[in-house]
Amino acid sequence: MTKSIHCDRCLKEIRIKGDLVTATMFFQVVPYHEDCYAKDLKGAKTLLLNNQPINGFSGNFLTLLAIAVFIASFFIDDNSMIYLSVLALIAILYRLYSFFIFERHLEK
Ligand SMILES: [Zn+2]
């Protein structure tokens, strides 16, 4: 199953996974070319665009951290853990969304 993914900035197709950066902008997950993401980060959208990509090494690392926090929240009986686990769950859902909507359609 193939679906073409188009960059949010230049509107051209993103063909390879290595060139894809997904990030949240105004609570929406948007796909970018790596270069276009860097340009938009410095541009006018910088206030809306999260400078933490969802995919890639740092995104995966944060997702692992979020999963760990989410699991830990079941064992730690503390009210502050509820907020942390909700934040963690949101991070995990964004990561899954990015994967199913964009990443799985691209070649490595
Ligand atoms: Zn682009």
PDB file of all heavy atoms in Angstrom, residues 6-14 19 31-37 39, ligand 1:
ATOM      1  N   HIS A   6       3.299  14.525   1.160  1.00  0.00           N
ATOM      2  CA  HIS A   6       3.764  15.808   0.642  1.00  0.00           C
ATOM      3  C   HIS A   6       4.201  16.747   1.763  1.00  0.00           C
ATOM      4  O   HIS A   6       3.544  16.850   2.785  1.00  0.00           O
ATOM      5  CB  HIS A   6       2.672  16.468  -0.216  1.00  0.00           C
ATOM      6  CG  HIS A   6       2.388  15.685  -1.457  1.00  0.00           C
ATOM      7  ND1 HIS A   6       3.017  15.934  -2.647  1.00  0.00           N
ATOM      8  CD2 HIS A   6       1.578  14.626  -1.670  1.00  0.00           C
ATOM      9  CE1 HIS A   6       2.602  15.066  -3.550  1.00  0.00           C
ATOM     10  NE2 HIS A   6       1.728  14.261  -2.987  1.00  0.00           N
ATOM     11  N   CYS A   7       5.316  17.390   1.490  1.00  0.00           N
ATOM     12  CA  CYS A   7       5.905  18.306   2.461  1.00  0.00           C
ATOM     13  C   CYS A   7       4.980  19.489   2.716  1.00  0.00           C
ATOM     14  O   CYS A   7       4.389  20.035   1.790  1.00  0.00           O
ATOM     15  CB  CYS A   7       7.241  18.777   1.912  1.00  0.00           C
ATOM     16  SG  CYS A   7       8.026  20.057   2.866  1.00  0.00           S
ATOM     17  N   ASP A   8       4.857  19.864   3.974  1.00  0.00           N
ATOM     18  CA  ASP A   8       3.970  20.960   4.344  1.00  0.00           C
ATOM     19  C   ASP A   8       4.471  22.318   3.863  1.00  0.00           C
ATOM     20  O   ASP A   8       3.716  23.266   3.725  1.00  0.00           O
ATOM     21  CB  ASP A   8       3.823  20.999   5.871  1.00  0.00           C
ATOM     22  CG  ASP A   8       2.621  21.805   6.312  1.00  0.00           C
ATOM     23  OD1 ASP A   8       1.502  21.378   5.995  1.00  0.00           O
ATOM     24  OD2 ASP A   8       2.814  22.862   6.936  1.00  0.00           O
ATOM     25  N   ARG A   9       5.765  22.414   3.576  1.00  0.00           N
ATOM     26  CA  ARG A   9       6.333  23.704   3.172  1.00  0.00           C
ATOM     27  C   ARG A   9       6.413  23.873   1.653  1.00  0.00           C
ATOM     28  O   ARG A   9       5.850  24.792   1.100  1.00  0.00           O
ATOM     29  CB  ARG A   9       7.717  23.864   3.781  1.00  0.00           C
ATOM     30  CG  ARG A   9       8.365  25.174   3.433  1.00  0.00           C
ATOM     31  CD  ARG A   9       9.782  25.238   3.972  1.00  0.00           C
ATOM     32  NE  ARG A   9      10.542  26.259   3.289  1.00  0.00           N
ATOM     33  CZ  ARG A   9      10.699  27.499   3.736  1.00  0.00           C
ATOM     34  NH1 ARG A   9      10.137  27.856   4.857  1.00  0.00           N
ATOM     35  NH2 ARG A   9      11.417  28.354   3.055  1.00  0.00           N
ATOM     36  N   CYS A  10       7.109  22.927   0.983  1.00  0.00           N
ATOM     37  CA  CYS A  10       7.294  23.099  -0.467  1.00  0.00           C
ATOM     38  C   CYS A  10       6.253  22.336  -1.276  1.00  0.00           C
ATOM     39  O   CYS A  10       6.192  22.467  -2.489  1.00  0.00           O
ATOM     40  CB  CYS A  10       8.709  22.678  -0.858  1.00  0.00           C
ATOM     41  SG  CYS A  10       9.009  20.911  -0.664  1.00  0.00           S
ATOM     42  N   LEU A  11       5.437  21.527  -0.605  1.00  0.00           N
ATOM     43  CA  LEU A  11       4.354  20.764  -1.219  1.00  0.00           C
ATOM     44  C   LEU A  11       4.825  19.679  -2.193  1.00  0.00           C
ATOM     45  O   LEU A  11       4.027  19.070  -2.897  1.00  0.00           O
ATOM     46  CB  LEU A  11       3.338  21.688  -1.920  1.00  0.00           C
ATOM     47  CG  LEU A  11       2.749  22.799  -1.038  1.00  0.00           C
ATOM     48  CD1 LEU A  11       1.823  23.686  -1.846  1.00  0.00           C
ATOM     49  CD2 LEU A  11       1.994  22.213   0.152  1.00  0.00           C
ATOM     50  N   LYS A  12       6.132  19.443  -2.254  1.00  0.00           N
ATOM     51  CA  LYS A  12       6.640  18.365  -3.097  1.00  0.00           C
ATOM     52  C   LYS A  12       6.588  17.052  -2.328  1.00  0.00           C
ATOM     53  O   LYS A  12       6.518  17.046  -1.100  1.00  0.00           O
ATOM     54  CB  LYS A  12       8.082  18.668  -3.507  1.00  0.00           C
ATOM     55  CG  LYS A  12       8.172  19.753  -4.563  1.00  0.00           C
ATOM     56  CD  LYS A  12       9.618  19.965  -4.953  1.00  0.00           C
ATOM     57  CE  LYS A  12       9.747  21.231  -5.780  1.00  0.00           C
ATOM     58  NZ  LYS A  12      10.963  21.951  -5.485  1.00  0.00           N
ATOM     59  N   GLU A  13       6.665  15.980  -3.091  1.00  0.00           N
ATOM     60  CA  GLU A  13       6.558  14.673  -2.470  1.00  0.00           C
ATOM     61  C   GLU A  13       7.812  14.325  -1.653  1.00  0.00           C
ATOM     62  O   GLU A  13       8.923  14.629  -2.060  1.00  0.00           O
ATOM     63  CB  GLU A  13       6.335  13.612  -3.549  1.00  0.00           C
ATOM     64  CG  GLU A  13       5.931  12.282  -2.950  1.00  0.00           C
ATOM     65  CD  GLU A  13       5.629  11.232  -4.014  1.00  0.00           C
ATOM     66  OE1 GLU A  13       5.600  11.574  -5.212  1.00  0.00           O
ATOM     67  OE2 GLU A  13       5.443  10.081  -3.622  1.00  0.00           O
ATOM     68  N   ILE A  14       7.598  13.687  -0.528  1.00  0.00           N
ATOM     69  CA  ILE A  14       8.716  13.179   0.261  1.00  0.00           C
ATOM     70  C   ILE A  14       8.828  11.691  -0.075  1.00  0.00           C
ATOM     71  O   ILE A  14       7.871  10.939   0.100  1.00  0.00           O
ATOM     72  CB  ILE A  14       8.455  13.364   1.772  1.00  0.00           C
ATOM     73  CG1 ILE A  14       8.223  14.840   2.105  1.00  0.00           C
ATOM     74  CG2 ILE A  14       9.631  12.814   2.597  1.00  0.00           C
ATOM     75  CD1 ILE A  14       7.694  15.083   3.511  1.00  0.00           C
ATOM     76  N   ASP A  19      14.483  11.405   4.707  1.00  0.00           N
ATOM     77  CA  ASP A  19      14.275  12.817   4.410  1.00  0.00           C
ATOM     78  C   ASP A  19      13.031  13.369   5.116  1.00  0.00           C
ATOM     79  O   ASP A  19      12.711  14.534   5.011  1.00  0.00           O
ATOM     80  CB  ASP A  19      14.133  12.981   2.891  1.00  0.00           C
ATOM     81  CG  ASP A  19      14.506  14.390   2.433  1.00  0.00           C
ATOM     82  OD1 ASP A  19      15.194  15.088   3.190  1.00  0.00           O
ATOM     83  OD2 ASP A  19      14.093  14.774   1.332  1.00  0.00           O
ATOM     84  N   PRO A  31       4.118  16.690   8.037  1.00  0.00           N
ATOM     85  CA  PRO A  31       5.330  16.113   7.455  1.00  0.00           C
ATOM     86  C   PRO A  31       6.168  17.181   6.751  1.00  0.00           C
ATOM     87  O   PRO A  31       5.617  18.109   6.148  1.00  0.00           O
ATOM     88  CB  PRO A  31       4.762  15.126   6.433  1.00  0.00           C
ATOM     89  CG  PRO A  31       3.464  15.709   6.002  1.00  0.00           C
ATOM     90  CD  PRO A  31       2.954  16.574   7.123  1.00  0.00           C
ATOM     91  N   TYR A  32       7.465  17.040   6.844  1.00  0.00           N
ATOM     92  CA  TYR A  32       8.397  17.982   6.219  1.00  0.00           C
ATOM     93  C   TYR A  32       9.578  17.243   5.603  1.00  0.00           C
ATOM     94  O   TYR A  32       9.950  16.165   6.061  1.00  0.00           O
ATOM     95  CB  TYR A  32       9.004  18.908   7.283  1.00  0.00           C
ATOM     96  CG  TYR A  32       8.183  20.116   7.646  1.00  0.00           C
ATOM     97  CD1 TYR A  32       7.522  20.166   8.858  1.00  0.00           C
ATOM     98  CD2 TYR A  32       8.121  21.210   6.797  1.00  0.00           C
ATOM     99  CE1 TYR A  32       6.786  21.287   9.216  1.00  0.00           C
ATOM    100  CE2 TYR A  32       7.395  22.331   7.144  1.00  0.00           C
ATOM    101  CZ  TYR A  32       6.725  22.366   8.351  1.00  0.00           C
ATOM    102  OH  TYR A  32       6.011  23.470   8.702  1.00  0.00           O
ATOM    103  N   HIS A  33      10.204  17.873   4.602  1.00  0.00           N
ATOM    104  CA  HIS A  33      11.553  17.449   4.214  1.00  0.00           C
ATOM    105  C   HIS A  33      12.475  17.935   5.327  1.00  0.00           C
ATOM    106  O   HIS A  33      12.190  18.951   5.966  1.00  0.00           O
ATOM    107  CB  HIS A  33      12.000  18.148   2.924  1.00  0.00           C
ATOM    108  CG  HIS A  33      11.313  17.640   1.698  1.00  0.00           C
ATOM    109  ND1 HIS A  33      10.452  18.411   0.958  1.00  0.00           N
ATOM    110  CD2 HIS A  33      11.376  16.437   1.078  1.00  0.00           C
ATOM    111  CE1 HIS A  33       9.999  17.702  -0.067  1.00  0.00           C
ATOM    112  NE2 HIS A  33      10.535  16.500  -0.013  1.00  0.00           N
ATOM    113  N   GLU A  34      13.575  17.272   5.497  1.00  0.00           N
ATOM    114  CA  GLU A  34      14.501  17.674   6.553  1.00  0.00           C
ATOM    115  C   GLU A  34      14.920  19.142   6.399  1.00  0.00           C
ATOM    116  O   GLU A  34      14.923  19.904   7.361  1.00  0.00           O
ATOM    117  CB  GLU A  34      15.733  16.765   6.508  1.00  0.00           C
ATOM    118  CG  GLU A  34      16.365  16.627   7.869  1.00  0.00           C
ATOM    119  CD  GLU A  34      17.504  15.640   7.867  1.00  0.00           C
ATOM    120  OE1 GLU A  34      17.797  15.051   6.807  1.00  0.00           O
ATOM    121  OE2 GLU A  34      18.108  15.471   8.929  1.00  0.00           O
ATOM    122  N   ASP A  35      15.254  19.542   5.166  1.00  0.00           N
ATOM    123  CA  ASP A  35      15.693  20.916   4.911  1.00  0.00           C
ATOM    124  C   ASP A  35      14.568  21.926   5.148  1.00  0.00           C
ATOM    125  O   ASP A  35      14.781  23.002   5.689  1.00  0.00           O
ATOM    126  CB  ASP A  35      16.181  21.073   3.466  1.00  0.00           C
ATOM    127  CG  ASP A  35      17.520  20.389   3.273  1.00  0.00           C
ATOM    128  OD1 ASP A  35      18.159  20.029   4.283  1.00  0.00           O
ATOM    129  OD2 ASP A  35      17.923  20.227   2.105  1.00  0.00           O
ATOM    130  N   CYS A  36      13.366  21.553   4.679  1.00  0.00           N
ATOM    131  CA  CYS A  36      12.228  22.454   4.806  1.00  0.00           C
ATOM    132  C   CYS A  36      11.877  22.675   6.276  1.00  0.00           C
ATOM    133  O   CYS A  36      11.490  23.776   6.668  1.00  0.00           O
ATOM    134  CB  CYS A  36      11.020  21.889   4.064  1.00  0.00           C
ATOM    135  SG  CYS A  36      11.272  21.768   2.291  1.00  0.00           S
ATOM    136  N   TYR A  37      12.003  21.636   7.064  1.00  0.00           N
ATOM    137  CA  TYR A  37      11.726  21.748   8.498  1.00  0.00           C
ATOM    138  C   TYR A  37      12.686  22.749   9.140  1.00  0.00           C
ATOM    139  O   TYR A  37      12.270  23.629   9.894  1.00  0.00           O
ATOM    140  CB  TYR A  37      11.869  20.373   9.150  1.00  0.00           C
ATOM    141  CG  TYR A  37      11.690  20.372  10.647  1.00  0.00           C
ATOM    142  CD1 TYR A  37      10.450  20.667  11.215  1.00  0.00           C
ATOM    143  CD2 TYR A  37      12.743  20.052  11.501  1.00  0.00           C
ATOM    144  CE1 TYR A  37      10.274  20.658  12.587  1.00  0.00           C
ATOM    145  CE2 TYR A  37      12.575  20.040  12.870  1.00  0.00           C
ATOM    146  CZ  TYR A  37      11.332  20.339  13.413  1.00  0.00           C
ATOM    147  OH  TYR A  37      11.175  20.332  14.768  1.00  0.00           O
ATOM    148  N   LYS A  39      14.196  25.162   7.691  1.00  0.00           N
ATOM    149  CA  LYS A  39      13.875  26.515   7.239  1.00  0.00           C
ATOM    150  C   LYS A  39      12.643  27.073   7.949  1.00  0.00           C
ATOM    151  O   LYS A  39      12.613  28.236   8.320  1.00  0.00           O
ATOM    152  CB  LYS A  39      13.640  26.523   5.724  1.00  0.00           C
ATOM    153  CG  LYS A  39      14.932  26.489   4.945  1.00  0.00           C
ATOM    154  CD  LYS A  39      14.640  26.360   3.452  1.00  0.00           C
ATOM    155  CE  LYS A  39      15.871  25.864   2.712  1.00  0.00           C
ATOM    156  NZ  LYS A  39      15.491  25.173   1.460  1.00  0.00           N
TER     157      LYS A  39
HETATM  158 ZN    ZN B   1       9.834  20.298   1.398  1.00  0.00          ZN
END
